[in-house]
Amino acid sequence: MFLDFIMTAEKISSSQVTLTSDRKVYKLYLAAIGANIISLSLGTAIGWLSPFLPLLISSDSPLQHGPVTDVQATWIASLLCIGAFCGTFLFGWSADKFGRRASLLSTAVPLIGFWTCVAFGTTVEVLYFARILAGLGASGVFLLVPMYITEIAEDRNRGTLGSFFILFLNIGTLISFVMGSYTSYHLTAYVLSTVPLAYLVIFFQFPETPMYLIRCNRVRDAECSLKYLRGYTSTPDHLDMLRSEMDGLLQMQMTTVKDSPEHSTVSLAAFSSPPARKALIIGLVLVSLNQLSGCFALINYTSQIFADAGSDLDPNMAAIVVGAIQITGSYGSSIIVDRYQRKHVYIVSSFLATIGLFVMGTHGYLKSQHIDVSAINWIPVASLSFVIFIASIGLLPLTFVILSEILPPNVRSMGGSLCTAFLWTISFLVVKYFPAMVELIGLHGCMWMFSAVCLSAGLFNAIFIPETRGQSIEQIMHAFENDNKS
């Protein structure tokens, strides 16, 4: 399956840029897949909550002191966000100090710890700690996987490779949904703990990013990394291409040093330049819109929405259906993201999600007014499925693709840390207080609010975010400089 996927992606890339016939880039795709095995592992940790939280609050709870309370359940759900917030700056510092590759490998440690706590823990306090560990892993994965992919990808396939992140995350979530429905609590933990272990073995063979190696003045290592990732051989054409790409990376590094002579100690002062400051503001807005769009909350409350619509689907089966829809949308994103402009895909996705959420809200409002809507009770299920599908194509994955592209290389770790920390703050508030918002303004009111956010996301992208498809990082930075001058 993965081999077919790589071949399809290479065909898409070759339709945009003519390649030397003997240059094979399959190792680049393998590196991207290897890096995203940890995304799949994180997806299993995130998806674990949906099938097993009902078990934990039931009389059949596997914990020593019996079922958890409703308050304890909300903390189990939300502590992941707190752990992620705390770990964001740790992994941001590590990415600059020890490199992208070493830091990515270290994200497996807290995820192994999570599954160990789930497998052998017998108290709710151990589950609290497990969720914090999962959050630590999540912070590293959300920050470092897009960063690594951006720095190894070619301009023509950066979007496709960047979209792997959400695709693999969703695959992991679906695996957890399925295993949670058909296997036991402890067996699930035993089996899924092998995924981060396998990741350590597989990803260890792939190289550090050329951009980071040049930043560390390891020019020879950067050349070796580029040769591996680009499939360059010793032919004259390939050597010319290698020299050209190396010259571009060295020039970018020289420009970075010139603009930020204290780049070795990145701090908030590094955002004093207009392009860096603009990129950070756009990044903070993007991650806010990503979480406030309500898609994450909808996924967590899928069963409730299906039940309110009168669906006969078992809650676990409903979650599996939604997980499959997410994967379909994410796969679609990986296919089209380098064929069409990022702006167009993001804007269309946002506006269609706006319509879907508005329709869901309107159906809920009519039902709250005791109007007979039994003939159209299929609308919430259809609208929810449509919103998750369309958001998985553009609104959700492109947030991380665009964010990793627009941040200047010298502040990418710090900027990514700030944006990721802000994302997890918003995520915590949404997950923790969504039930309270439903009580306050009704489910239909929340749908209308999410619809307004999606509309705002489309308008924000149309006005403020430059097109990045097929452009080098240097060209994107130049576009930001020109915007500020104008």
Side-chain angles (χ1 to χ4, degrees):
M1 177 182 175
F2 282 145
L3 213 44
D4 292 339
F5 187 83
I6 294 172
M7 293 174 64
T8 302
E10 286 202 56
K11 288 178 183 178
I12 294 169
S13 297
S14 62
S15 68
Q16 297 169 350
V17 176
T18 302
L19 293 175
T20 304
S21 60
D22 60 342
R23 185 162 80 88
K24 304 298 183 181
V25 295
Y26 69 92
K27 289 183 179 178
L28 172 62
Y29 286 87
L30 289 176
I33 290 172
N36 275 290
I37 293 175
I38 198 62
S39 304
L40 187 149
S41 178
L42 175 61
T44 63
I46 292 175
W48 167 85
L49 184 69
S50 179
F52 288 115
L53 189 58
L55 174 66
L56 292 171
I57 63 177
S58 72
S59 58
D60 296 325
S61 173
L63 299 183
Q64 181 179 350
H65 300 295
V68 300
T69 66
D70 290 341
V71 173
Q72 289 172 333
T74 62
W75 279 113
I76 291 173
S78 57
L79 277 173
L80 181 142
C81 301
I82 294 177
F85 179 88
C86 296
T88 294
F89 296 102
L90 172 65
F91 282 107
W93 168 81
S94 175
D96 278 338
K97 182 70 174 178
F98 304 107
R100 284 48 165 148
R101 175 178 171 275
S103 300
L104 257 177
L105 285 168
S106 68
T107 60
V109 176
L111 291 177
I112 294 170
F114 165 77
W115 289 116
T116 302
C117 290
V118 171
F120 300 105
T122 58
T123 65
V124 70
E125 289 77 17
V126 174
L127 286 187
Y128 288 163
F129 182 63
R131 292 290 284 178
I132 291 173
L133 287 176
L136 287 173
S139 64
V141 174
F142 269 77
L143 174 65
L144 296 170
V145 170
M147 185 186 301
Y148 182 83
I149 297 301
T150 296
E151 294 187 0
I152 67 169
E154 297 179 273
D155 299 335
R156 63 192 174 87
N157 55 29
R158 195 169 56 239
T160 297
L161 297 181
S163 64
F164 283 10
F165 172 51
I166 294 296
L167 174 62
F168 276 70
L169 194 72
N170 289 339
I171 291 173
T173 303
L174 180 60
I175 289 172
S176 241
F177 287 170
V178 173
M179 290 200 66
S181 300
Y182 298 104
T183 61
S184 68
Y185 178 86
H186 290 100
L187 180 59
T188 298
Y190 298 148
V191 172
L192 295 182
S193 65
T194 63
V195 180
L197 291 170
Y199 162 76
L200 287 173
V201 175
I202 294 171
F203 186 64
F204 188 81
Q205 66 182 299
F206 294 108
E208 178 60 86
T209 70
M211 193 175 295
Y212 178 80
L213 292 170
I214 286 179
R215 181 182 174 186
C216 297
N217 296 318
R218 296 165 57 186
V219 178
R220 181 64 65 182
D221 290 337
E223 285 187 359
C224 293
S225 178
L226 270 180
K227 284 182 179 179
Y228 178 90
L229 295 168
R230 302 292 185 259
Y232 291 138
T233 63
S234 299
T235 62
D237 286 345
H238 285 189
L239 291 176
D240 287 342
M241 295 169 71
L242 174 61
R243 280 193 293 268
S244 177
E245 189 164 1
M246 283 296 297
D247 288 344
L249 291 174
L250 288 167
Q251 182 61 41
M252 186 187 303
Q253 176 63 15
M254 289 173 62
T255 303
T256 297
V257 174
K258 180 181 177 181
D259 293 341
S260 180
E262 297 180 357
H263 70 284
S264 60
T265 306
V266 179
S267 65
L268 291 177
F271 294 96
S272 59
S273 67
R277 187 166 59 249
K278 180 179 179 181
L280 178 62
I281 293 172
I282 288 177
L284 292 172
V285 175
L286 274 176
V287 297
S288 300
L289 293 170
N290 179 281
Q291 290 300 306
L292 293 175
S293 66
C295 294
F296 189 63
L298 290 176
I299 292 168
N300 279 275
Y301 291 91
T302 296
S303 300
Q304 176 183 335
I305 295 172
F306 273 55
D308 289 346
S311 173
D312 294 329
L313 273 179
D314 175 78
N316 284 336
M317 183 55 65
I320 291 173
V321 169
V322 170
I325 292 171
Q326 280 185 282
I327 291 175
T328 305
S330 301
Y331 179 77
S333 177
S334 69
I335 296 299
I336 71 172
V337 69
D338 280 322
R339 284 186 169 183
Y340 303 99
Q341 291 192 355
R342 308 262 203 275
K343 289 176 71 73
H344 293 169
V345 176
Y346 187 100
I347 292 167
V348 170
S349 172
S350 300
F351 287 167
L352 290 177
T354 298
I355 296 171
L357 289 164
F358 183 80
V359 170
M360 285 180 65
T362 302
H363 179 276
Y365 175 76
L366 294 175
K367 191 171 183 179
S368 70
Q369 299 301 307
H370 306 293
I371 297 174
D372 185 14
V373 291
S374 57
I376 53 172
N377 262 350
W378 53 269
I379 284 181
V381 174
S383 296
L384 175 65
S385 302
F386 173 76
V387 167
I388 291 174
F389 172 76
I390 206 67
S392 296
I393 289 179
L395 178 60
L396 297 181
L398 285 183
T399 295
F400 303 100
V401 173
I402 295 171
L403 177 61
S404 63
E405 290 178 326
I406 64 174
L407 287 169
N410 62 314
V411 296
R412 187 167 288 147
S413 295
M414 173 65 77
S417 296
L418 291 171
C419 291
T420 306
F422 197 62
L423 178 145
W424 289 113
T425 301
I426 301 297
S427 179
F428 171 79
L429 295 174
V430 170
V431 172
K432 183 72 174 172
Y433 296 108
F434 179 74
M437 288 298 296
V438 171
E439 289 291 329
L440 183 64
I441 62 176
L443 187 60
H444 62 276
C446 291
M447 296 303 104
W448 285 340
M449 182 177 67
F450 294 151
S451 178
V453 171
C454 289
L455 177 62
S456 301
L459 294 174
F460 178 79
N461 190 294
I463 297 170
F464 295 107
I465 300 179
E467 179 56 49
T468 59
R469 180 178 71 99
Q471 298 188 38
S472 67
I473 301 300
E474 190 175 9
Q475 289 173 320
I476 296 170
M477 296 303 101
H478 185 64
F480 268 81
E481 292 174 359
N482 290 340
D483 287 346
N484 281 285
K485 289 178 182 178
S486 60

